[in-house]
Amino acid sequence: MKDFVIIGAAQAGLSMAYHLKKNDKDFLIIDKENEIGASWLNRWNSLKLFTPTEFNHLEGMPFPAPKGHYPDKYDVANYFKAYASKFDFPVQLNTLAESIEKSDDGFVVKTSKGDVKCKEVIIATGPFHIPYTPKFHNNISDDIFQIHSNYYKNPDQLQDGETLVVGGGDSGFQILDEISKHTENTTYFSGNTDIRTLPQEILGKTLWWWFTITGFLSFSKNSWIGKRISSSKQPIIGTDVQDILDRNNVKTVGYTIDAGQNTVKTTKKTLSNIKNIVWATGYKPNFKWINNIELTKDGYPKHHRGISTTKGLYFIGLPWLHTRGSATLGGIKKDAKYLAQKIV
């Protein structure tokens, strides 16, 4: 019988492990991947953080890079590996949590490698669970290569010919930027072009420095300002969207609304000549594997700052767990410290 089982070995799980270790708790971290940092390594090759080194420190160990450096996915994964090694956390990889059941004296976590009993459970699996693509993508011919941004690595995966990138978030624009630079073929963009953009530096200071001194990342989701921020469209950070959209080989086509065998219908035109589609269309949460969990209409657990409505079950690493900073690498430590104080 463990004191705690932490599910997820990325920044959220490691941050909670730091506090449990500090308080001499008997715990185990489990993760479905075969290495620590895999959730970052599985993303596209050119991915970089929006936040410079000085805003990426986990509790107890600084991020090992010069101030002002914007880490790539390999930097982050290596940092996580070094962090887990330094504090000698008990981590069991290649272990998928399949269900959680309440027992008389705690919980039973059923995994792909057997059951684990514990008094309390911390879910640190993050918000990105099921890659979402619209249902009509199933109507498209196998001759057109389709890939979700979750599995996209680089333009070499694509067939020769024209590509459609669907999705106007940070991922969509970064992938659109990379593909359109890589080829002279037309790259179509489907999504919202009426968006705000923010540079990574303003007046010689990083954007995150400004966010910190203005308190932008510290407003509670329940405050008036927090509600306004969380309900507004998120800006694109560090990507010159207009420069990308102005390229000769980039064409905007509005929103994608339907598809047939060899055609994709958008609000501006019907495309019949594309060879590839990259769906940068986000994710849906999946917490239904947790028995008797109380969920919101959006599919996320009901909680207060990570404390769920089920006694002994906690969450860390969710978007807006408490503030906008909850979703950042450097901001997770505040949520972890608060949650640890409540449960330890």
Side-chain angles (χ1 to χ4, degrees):
M1 171 71 74
K2 299 285 184 183
D3 291 331
F4 292 88
V5 167
I6 300 173
I7 302 176
Q11 63 260 33
L14 296 177
S15 294
M16 288 306 303
Y18 172 85
H19 290 284
L20 297 185
K21 181 90 173 186
K22 188 176 179 181
N23 286 275
D24 297 320
K25 297 298 181 181
D26 181 21
F27 68 95
L28 175 68
I29 307 173
I30 64 173
D31 195 286
K32 66 178 181 178
E33 303 291 352
N34 62 3
E35 63 178 317
I36 292 175
S39 58
W40 286 82
L41 293 174
N42 290 339
R43 307 300 296 278
W44 67 93
N45 293 348
S46 61
L47 173 66
K48 285 195 173 185
L49 291 181
F50 303 130
T51 50
T53 294
E54 58 268 34
F55 296 96
N56 297 324
H57 305 311
L58 296 181
E59 197 74 51
M61 179 179 169
F63 198 102
K67 182 178 179 180
H69 172 70
Y70 289 88
D72 60 26
K73 68 175 189 176
Y74 305 102
D75 295 330
V76 177
N78 288 333
Y79 177 46
F80 290 171
K81 288 181 174 70
Y83 191 82
S85 177
K86 175 179 179 177
F87 296 109
D88 194 25
F89 295 146
V91 181
Q92 183 173 304
L93 299 170
N94 296 303
T95 305
L96 174 66
E98 297 172 342
S99 69
I100 297 175
E101 296 179 359
K102 198 88 167 67
S103 65
D104 292 338
D105 54 355
F107 294 88
V108 177
V109 181
K110 294 185 176 296
T111 81
S112 57
K113 291 190 173 179
D115 296 351
V116 183
K117 295 182 179 180
C118 58
K119 296 175 184 176
E120 301 182 280
V121 180
I122 301 170
I123 311 295
T125 54
F128 303 133
H129 298 151
I130 303 175
Y132 168 76
T133 50
K135 287 185 178 180
F136 56 73
H137 90 277
N138 293 312
N139 302 334
I140 298 172
S141 167
D142 291 340
D143 293 336
I144 297 175
F145 176 70
Q146 299 186 67
I147 190 169
H148 190 274
S149 58
N150 187 70
Y151 308 106
Y152 171 84
K153 300 295 184 186
N154 57 61
D156 292 337
Q157 293 171 287
L158 307 179
Q159 301 183 104
D160 184 38
E162 300 182 340
T163 298
L164 171 66
V165 177
V166 184
D170 285 302
S171 299
F173 281 112
Q174 287 188 31
I175 292 171
L176 175 68
D177 179 32
E178 182 172 75
I179 293 174
S180 60
K181 283 179 178 177
H182 184 264
T183 179
E184 294 181 357
N185 294 319
T186 299
T187 306
Y188 296 101
F189 171 72
S190 172
N192 182 23
T193 57
D194 182 21
I195 56 173
R196 291 180 298 135
T197 61
L198 293 173
Q200 287 184 308
E201 294 189 2
I202 300 173
L203 299 177
K205 298 288 187 179
T206 69
L207 179 64
W208 299 95
W209 183 87
W210 290 105
F211 279 170
T212 300
I213 64 166
T214 59
F216 178 80
L217 299 176
S218 301
F219 293 116
S220 163
K221 66 179 180 180
N222 297 317
S223 67
W224 179 82
I225 296 178
K227 289 177 180 178
R228 289 290 300 272
I229 296 171
S230 62
S231 62
S232 63
K233 291 181 180 179
Q234 297 300 309
I236 303 299
I237 298 173
T239 300
D240 191 340
V241 171
Q242 198 56 54
D243 175 71
I244 299 170
L245 298 179
D246 287 343
R247 292 173 189 166
N248 291 332
N249 67 330
V250 174
K251 307 295 182 187
T252 60
V253 292
Y255 295 98
T256 300
I257 54 178
D258 203 358
Q261 273 285 298
N262 294 295
T263 60
V264 176
K265 185 178 181 181
T266 73
T267 51
K268 288 187 177 181
K269 65 185 301 183
T270 298
L271 303 173
S272 57
N273 57 340
I274 58 174
K275 294 295 184 182
N276 310 281
I277 303 175
V278 179
W279 299 101
T281 41
Y283 301 80
K284 286 187 175 181
N286 177 25
F287 293 97
K288 294 180 180 179
W289 54 279
I290 306 172
N291 291 346
N292 299 317
I293 186 68
E294 194 173 6
L295 301 175
T296 67
K297 63 180 181 179
D298 298 322
Y300 286 101
K302 289 187 176 180
H303 66 90
H304 174 69
R305 296 193 68 172
I307 302 170
S308 81
T309 55
T310 300
K311 186 176 180 180
L313 183 64
Y314 309 96
F315 293 87
I316 185 79
L318 298 179
W320 280 94
L321 186 86
H322 180 53
T323 68
R324 175 69 177 83
S326 295
T328 65
L329 179 55
I332 194 75
K333 59 178 174 283
K334 291 183 179 179
D335 287 337
K337 184 177 181 179
Y338 173 86
L339 193 57
Q341 287 174 342
K342 291 296 181 181
I343 67 179
V344 169

